[in-house]
């Protein structure tokens, strides 16, 4: 019944997807204060959208018991640029290399338990390409500083690629060192995660 469901943040519900008008399991990420709409994530696919409350419904309990089939990952040890143009190019690179690959091998490198985030390296088994390493080598990302001993070999490999991109002034390095004195002027900040 349209309007019978009032969305609440964090709640599982059924949402009618705008592309195909079919119902899917969703989690309310943020509900409008007036209860007339919500921003949801489709838990079995990973995509998000804002939905009017009339396109939301209570989820039957037998559908709520099944674990979410989509899991969100982030590339380990890399930071995308803050600059809009370079960030868009980096995201295009990732779409092509992650979504365009027939198969991917994903290795969990570390997790952040407080934010429930999982950080991975992604390899294309056909090309033997490490997507994060290639992203950095193309000059489309920087290497994050990490202290974990188990990551030091990976960080060294990524840093070699970043240094080469910097020397060749690729993409984000076009005008010089994004970590230097003028880095803030160009929208870059140093990222340090523990």
């Amino acid at each position: 019944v349209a309007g019978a469901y009032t969305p609440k943040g964090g709640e599982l519900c059924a949402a009618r997807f705008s592309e195909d008008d079919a119902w899917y399991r969703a989690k309310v990420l943020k509900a409008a204060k007036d209860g007339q709409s919500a921003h949801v994530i489709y838990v079995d696919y990973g995509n998000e959208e804002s939905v009017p409350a009339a396109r939301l419904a209570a989820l039957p309990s037998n559908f709520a018991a099944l674990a979410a089939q989509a899991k969100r990952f982030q590339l380990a040890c890399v930071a995308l640029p803050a600059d809009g143009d370079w960030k868009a190019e980096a995201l295009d690179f990732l779409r092509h290399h992650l979504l365009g690959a027939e198969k991917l091998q994903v290795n969990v490198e570390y997790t952040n338990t407080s934010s429930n985030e999982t950080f991975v390296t992604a390899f294309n088994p056909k090309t033997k390409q490490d997507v994060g390493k290639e992203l950095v080598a193309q000059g489309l990302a920087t290497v994050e500083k990490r202290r974990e001993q188990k990551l030091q070999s990976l960080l060294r490999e990524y840093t070699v690629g970043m240094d080469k991109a910097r020397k060749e002034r690729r993409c984000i390095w076009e005008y010089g060192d994004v970590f230097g004195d003028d880095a803030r002027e160009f929208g870059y900040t140093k990222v340090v995660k523990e």
Side-chain angles (χ1 to χ4, degrees):
V1 178
Y5 175 76
T6 304
K8 294 178 184 70
E11 194 170 75
L12 280 176
C13 66
R16 188 171 249 173
F17 185 47
S18 62
E19 295 290 320
D20 63 6
D21 253 2
W23 290 93
Y24 297 96
R25 295 186 319 146
K27 181 178 183 178
V28 177
L29 296 177
K30 184 175 183 180
K33 289 181 182 179
D34 62 6
Q36 296 302 304
S37 66
H39 191 76
V40 300
I41 182 167
Y42 294 95
V43 297
D44 298 320
Y45 295 92
N47 51 325
E48 300 177 16
E49 72 175 339
S50 291
V51 181
R55 295 177 66 87
L56 298 172
L59 187 67
S61 60
N62 59 323
F63 289 104
L66 181 65
Q69 300 300 295
K71 179 134 175 74
R72 203 176 277 250
F73 295 102
Q74 292 186 42
L75 280 181
C77 304
V78 298
L80 295 183
D83 175 82
D85 291 338
W86 289 124
K87 186 173 188 174
E89 194 163 328
L91 292 172
D92 283 344
F93 176 94
L94 290 171
R95 273 187 211 93
H96 174 75
H97 287 83
L98 296 175
L99 301 178
E102 190 176 304
K103 288 184 180 181
L104 282 175
Q105 176 186 348
V106 178
N107 296 321
V108 174
E109 300 297 341
Y110 54 95
T111 57
N112 181 332
T113 52
S114 63
S115 63
N116 199 28
E117 294 173 304
T118 302
F119 295 84
V120 301
T121 49
F123 298 88
N124 183 325
K126 190 173 186 179
T127 64
K128 305 290 188 220
Q129 181 183 51
D130 175 334
V131 176
K133 183 177 176 181
E134 187 61 26
L135 182 71
V136 169
Q138 291 298 319
L140 293 170
T142 57
V143 179
E144 287 185 331
K145 299 214 183 294
R146 304 284 309 178
R147 293 186 180 150
E148 298 93 332
Q149 188 61 39
K150 70 178 189 165
L151 296 174
Q152 294 312 303
S153 175
L154 180 67
L155 290 169
R156 280 190 294 278
E157 286 180 39
Y158 280 25
T159 300
V160 167
M162 183 175 74
D163 289 345
K164 185 174 186 215
R166 183 183 341 202
K167 185 177 178 182
E168 294 173 0
R169 295 197 178 263
R170 291 184 179 180
C171 300
I172 63 173
W173 306 103
E174 180 178 17
Y175 299 111
D177 191 344
V178 298
F179 297 128
D181 293 337
D182 58 352
R184 290 198 187 278
E185 179 182 338
F186 293 104
Y188 296 98
T189 56
K190 196 171 191 177
V191 178
V192 178
K193 288 189 176 182
E194 294 187 36

